[in-house]
Amino acid sequence: GLTASINKDPVTKDLVLESGALVLADRGVCCIDEFDKMDENARAVLHEAMEQQTVSVAKAGIVASLNARASILASANPKDSSYDPKMSVVENIHLPKNLMTRFDFIWLMLDKRNRETDRRLAEHLISMYSESGMRAKVQPEVAPELFRRYVSFARRWVFPEVSDEAAEALVKSYTDLRNQGSSREVITATPRNLESLIRISESLARAELREVVLASDVAEALRLLKVATYAAAVDPETGLIDMEQLIVGVGAARRKRQRELEALLQEVLAERAQSGSMLTVDSVKLVVNERLGERKEQLANDGEFFGALRVAEEQGL
């Protein structure tokens, strides 16, 4: 699995602790496919691994905390095998909302019809099986062994420090991102985005074996963040960036409508309670939709109404 498992040694018959993928990938990269099909226990483990860089194990009397200082590269498919642009990225991908915010980058790879792109993809796939394609195989400019040694050297010996110029650029970039919202209700950046900018800037400097993070690294990190995560965080209803939808799962327009429905429902329940008339779900929903019709607003569907009713029950109404 991802963490660790307890198995019985076939020779000694003793219980032994075997490391999982995250522990084995310590100081490396852990690649996870079909990320959306993981069970709840595996997702709960990922929270600890991505936040504290450790994996806790308490099985069969064995209690341990193992290092899992690994970067996670995960791929997931949409719920219905097709990405719906009218829904947010959280609604399209069946993943916990708070887990999405822990990734530095969220790339949307959409299958759009394009004659030139489709032709290049088909030629590439066919070249993997044809004789002419095998003969025309492109050789990498850098030998694989040299590249591995380069990456290993950078990981072991290069630890860039943020210069004063880069620190000012980080502060300016974060404040600019925070002020992109059209209203106070829309959150366009969180402290986690600032931490992502710092990590990406340091990694760009490390890739060039530099000991100092420059303002140009911060600018490139900001560009990557905008073309990746911010493209995925666009509210499909307003077309504006809304980072909070990665946390709560819905966009700003839908959150505002939910609050309005909750307030309207509580108002209707209070009026019916004072009049002493009998309350039924259908009668309350009818009154709510009549009020919405008077305001010339869209009528509440079953999901919205029962969601507001659930909030009213939690508040003891």
Side-chain angles (χ1 to χ4, degrees):
L2 282 176
T3 56
S5 60
I6 305 295
N7 297 320
K8 182 175 289 187
D9 189 278
V11 179
T12 63
K13 306 301 181 182
D14 293 332
L15 294 177
V16 293
L17 180 65
E18 294 187 359
S19 302
L22 283 174
V23 180
L24 293 175
D26 186 37
R27 295 188 179 277
V29 180
C30 179
C31 300
I32 305 174
D33 194 12
E34 303 292 347
F35 194 62
D36 54 306
K37 297 177 179 61
M38 295 171 57
D39 58 19
E40 295 298 329
N41 294 331
R43 290 171 180 170
V45 169
L46 279 177
H47 282 287
E48 179 189 359
M50 298 180 72
E51 184 174 353
Q52 303 178 12
Q53 300 285 278
T54 59
V55 170
S56 300
V57 179
K59 298 179 180 179
I62 299 177
V63 180
S65 181
L66 308 175
N67 288 328
R69 296 161 293 184
S71 300
I72 296 179
L73 176 64
S75 63
N77 297 315
K79 285 190 298 186
D80 299 324
S81 300
S82 178
Y83 192 88
D84 187 354
K86 297 180 181 179
M87 299 169 61
S88 67
V89 63
V90 178
E91 294 171 314
N92 271 287
I93 303 174
H94 184 60
L95 285 175
K97 298 179 287 292
N98 49 4
L99 188 61
M100 298 281 288
T101 60
R102 300 183 186 276
F103 287 93
D104 290 338
F105 289 139
I106 300 176
W107 294 91
L108 291 182
M109 301 180 66
L110 305 180
D111 185 14
K112 297 181 179 179
R113 288 184 296 177
N114 183 286
R115 184 177 294 274
E116 178 63 22
T117 305
D118 295 341
R119 184 185 62 81
R120 290 173 56 192
L121 177 60
E123 290 178 350
H124 172 71
L125 292 176
I126 294 172
S127 67
M128 298 172 62
Y129 302 95
S130 63
E131 295 181 359
S132 60
M134 295 298 293
R135 288 194 298 267
K137 186 177 181 181
V138 179
Q139 297 297 326
E141 297 183 4
V142 180
E145 180 60 26
L146 177 60
F147 183 74
R148 281 193 290 267
R149 293 174 62 185
Y150 185 94
V151 173
S152 178
F153 179 86
R155 283 179 175 172
R156 183 173 182 180
W157 298 106
V158 182
F159 300 97
E161 295 182 356
V162 179
S163 63
D164 293 339
E165 182 185 6
E168 293 178 1
L170 283 168
V171 173
K172 183 179 183 303
S173 299
Y174 177 66
T175 53
D176 290 345
L177 291 176
R178 289 284 293 183
N179 293 327
Q180 282 186 357
S182 58
S183 67
R184 292 178 178 268
E185 297 179 356
V186 178
I187 297 177
T188 54
T190 64
R192 282 183 179 170
N193 297 122
L194 177 58
E195 293 176 348
S196 297
L197 285 175
I198 297 172
R199 284 192 294 267
I200 300 166
S201 302
E202 290 177 344
S203 65
L204 291 171
R206 181 175 293 168
E208 298 182 2
L209 303 183
R210 284 189 280 106
E211 298 289 344
V212 178
V213 177
L214 304 178
S216 58
D217 298 324
V218 178
E220 178 62 13
L222 181 63
R223 186 191 70 83
L224 290 172
L225 187 66
K226 285 183 176 180
V227 299
T229 307
Y230 272 40
V234 172
D235 188 344
E237 296 185 9
T238 62
L240 302 175
I241 296 172
D242 182 15
M243 291 300 295
E244 194 173 356
Q245 70 170 331
L246 298 180
I247 303 173
V248 299
V250 293
R254 198 170 299 181
R255 293 198 301 271
K256 181 179 179 181
R257 177 170 170 81
Q258 286 177 348
R259 289 193 296 268
E260 292 175 349
L261 284 177
E262 291 166 7
L264 179 59
L265 177 61
Q266 293 174 13
E267 178 184 335
V268 172
L269 291 175
E271 292 177 357
R272 287 300 183 94
Q274 290 179 355
S275 63
S277 57
M278 185 178 65
L279 291 175
T280 63
V281 174
D282 292 337
S283 63
V284 173
K285 183 180 179 181
L286 180 61
V287 175
V288 169
N289 280 330
E290 287 178 353
R291 299 282 178 88
L292 291 174
E294 294 173 358
R295 300 178 183 179
K296 297 182 179 180
E297 296 181 8
Q298 182 181 357
L299 302 183
N301 56 38
D302 290 341
E304 293 174 334
F305 176 76
F306 286 108
L309 189 62
R310 193 179 307 113
V311 172
E313 291 176 353
E314 293 174 355
Q315 295 179 355
L317 297 177

